[in-house]
Amino acid sequence: MSMDLNDYTIIKEGEAEILMHAKNEVFFNKTQVNNRDMSIAVLRTFISKRKQEHEALLSKRNKKNGSSSDVEDKPNDCDINIEKSNDQGLEEKPNEDPCTASEEPVKIEGKVRGKLKPPRVLEALSASGLRALRYAREVEGIGQVVALDNDKGAVEACQRNIKFNGSVACSKVESHLADARVYMLTHPKEFDVVDLDPYGSPSLFLDSAVQSVVDGGMLMCTATDMAVLCGGNGEVCYSKYGSYPLRGKYCHEMALRILLACIESHANRYKRYIVPVLSVQMDFYVRVFVRVYTSASAMKNTPLKLSYVYQCIGCDSFHLQPIGRTVSKNTSVRYLPGFAPVVPQECSDCGKKFNMGGPIWSAPIHDQDWVTSILADVKSMKNCYPAYERISAVLTTISEELPDVPLFLSLHNLCATLKCTSPSAVIFRSAVINAGYQISGTHVNPLGLKSDAPMDVIWDIMRCWVKNHPVKAQPADQPGSVILAKEPVLQANFARAVASLSKAQAKKVARFLPNPERHWGPKLRAGRQITSKHISLLGEEAVNGCLNDQDSERDAKRQKIEKSNDAIAES
């Protein structure tokens, strides 16, 4: 390799190694090791599930003894499991459109047979190519990995890293200089997995990404513009994602649900829909893993999965308004607008007005079967994941979340509204369970609590708590005073319930880990220079060291220019 290795630093992550130039020419973020490890874990499970679904589909069709109906089954006529498997890489017939040919497996001697090809992966924004290299070297059964970037320097670095990683990488990974949007549009339904991990918002790439995934394939998508998604700039969020965010304690989960609703919206334009298998908020970003399917009939259910959110400006109450509903009559189903309003003009608890946000994805954001499989795989191969401790902690917490409860409450916020001392999480959870409702934690916030109990039940529990733990008198017009002025309908039982602790808590399994080092977070874009404003990001010592180096370089350049100017003047 004709280059000076002294100019490069070798970075090893998992089984892959990359060469990083001393200058910040190609973006690399050490923090994203959690993201890459989680993606590898999901990809391994996807390959396993894909194989199982393919075998189940062939088994079902073979049982029909090769009748003509077995090949002509439509996705919306099958049960959901078969629909999800209707297109899992079956062998294509020659001279046919690749978008449709794989729906008909090869039929030989009265039996349906199909060969499952290794999944093709597209990393749309590859930068140094580390993610693509880790996929190729660490994921068994993976096919070709295509790494794209629109920056010439990044593609050169990626190609250099491919060669540096040896024959396996050279045979499986290919790097191209291309606009990801154009490439995905010109390769429709060609990739089993499409990975989007941009620096900022993925909204520019979603329309082309949902077209590039095969039926039943996986779309992995990261969004790092959390200030926008969490309500810092609501109008910008609406322009990018088509949804208005609210600044509640649940804003990070709302960010996940806004991203899912946006992906679904883009998929619907092509008679497609998504099924989330895992949705994660970690560090400074959100990451969703969804499967993409094609079905004009199933797409009609989208309004049932979306809701608007009404957030009271006075207390912590929130309410969801589904966009659509269905009415069944005999065997027919009618799709109708959702019933409204779900809230009055003023909050029934504290009398204040509501802010309205959304629409958000209000259906489940995880598939618990997938989460269990991913967690089991991670634990069985713990030495293969550099960020094992962190991703296993996140997956453990997700595995214990209530799957069908959108958003969550903050116990500290409830108490702040009432100006009262806070009950312990165990006592509060016990009261909810004793009232006949479910409650769990959330991976998004250590203090967050998901519950299917309505807000009037939650406030009744808090009223009963305040009766035993009186508060100081507050002005009558305060939200807390209005809430406490009402007598509780439900008499809360604070006796400790058996299920008040999750299994992970009972076994004292770590669920929320601290950052591994100081200033853990997103780093500078490629080509950017460190300035004094980055002190909060990198630390004062690091910034001062870099600035001193830059000053010395600048002084040397100035002296060189002055000498040349003097020489010109003398001549």
Side-chain angles (χ1 to χ4, degrees), residues 174-211:
E174 55 185 74
S175 178
H176 299 290
L177 177 65
D179 186 317
R181 294 167 295 181
V182 175
Y183 190 91
M184 289 187 287
L185 285 173
T186 52
H187 294 77
K189 294 188 179 181
E190 281 196 22
F191 294 96
D192 299 280
V193 179
V194 172
D195 192 327
L196 291 177
D197 187 14
Y199 194 104
S201 173
S203 57
L204 290 171
F205 306 97
L206 293 178
D207 195 80
S208 49
V210 295
Q211 298 179 67

Side-chain angles (χ1 to χ4, degrees), residues 213-365:
V213 187
V214 301
D215 203 23
M218 175 80 72
L219 172 61
M220 306 174 174
C221 182
T222 303
T224 61
D225 54 336
M226 296 300 289
V228 170
L229 283 166
C230 292
N233 303 92
E235 66 284 359
V236 177
C237 183
Y238 189 83
S239 68
K240 289 184 176 182
Y241 298 96
S243 182
Y244 212 97
L246 296 174
R247 299 188 69 176
K249 278 292 182 182
Y250 50 68
C251 62
H252 291 95
E253 182 177 329
M254 191 171 187
L256 277 171
R257 295 180 179 275
I258 287 174
L259 179 56
L260 288 170
C262 184
I263 297 173
E264 175 82 347
S265 171
H266 285 284
N268 286 170
R269 297 164 198 176
Y270 308 100
K271 297 183 180 179
R272 311 193 90 182
Y273 66 99
I274 65 169
V275 177
V277 297
L278 181 67
S279 306
V280 183
Q281 188 274 319
M282 277 197 306
D283 298 323
F284 51 88
Y285 58 87
V286 289
R287 174 83 161 164
V288 297
F289 302 87
V290 302
R291 300 190 69 181
V292 182
Y293 299 104
T294 306
S295 172
S297 60
M299 186 192 66
K300 295 178 182 178
N301 291 319
T302 292
L304 310 178
K305 306 172 190 174
L306 303 176
S307 298
Y308 287 99
V309 183
Y310 292 91
Q311 170 74 48
C312 175
I313 63 174
C315 63
D316 213 33
S317 302
F318 65 86
H319 306 269
L320 269 68
Q321 164 68 68
I323 289 180
R325 61 188 171 93
T326 57
V327 175
S328 299
K329 186 176 182 181
N330 299 328
T331 57
S332 63
V333 177
R334 289 185 64 199
Y335 292 86
L336 301 172
F339 282 129
V342 292
V343 292
Q345 283 287 312
E346 296 179 344
C347 176
S348 57
D349 295 310
C350 72
K352 300 292 184 180
K353 297 287 187 181
F354 288 97
N355 283 331
M356 188 181 82
I360 66 167
W361 180 273
S362 53
I365 60 175

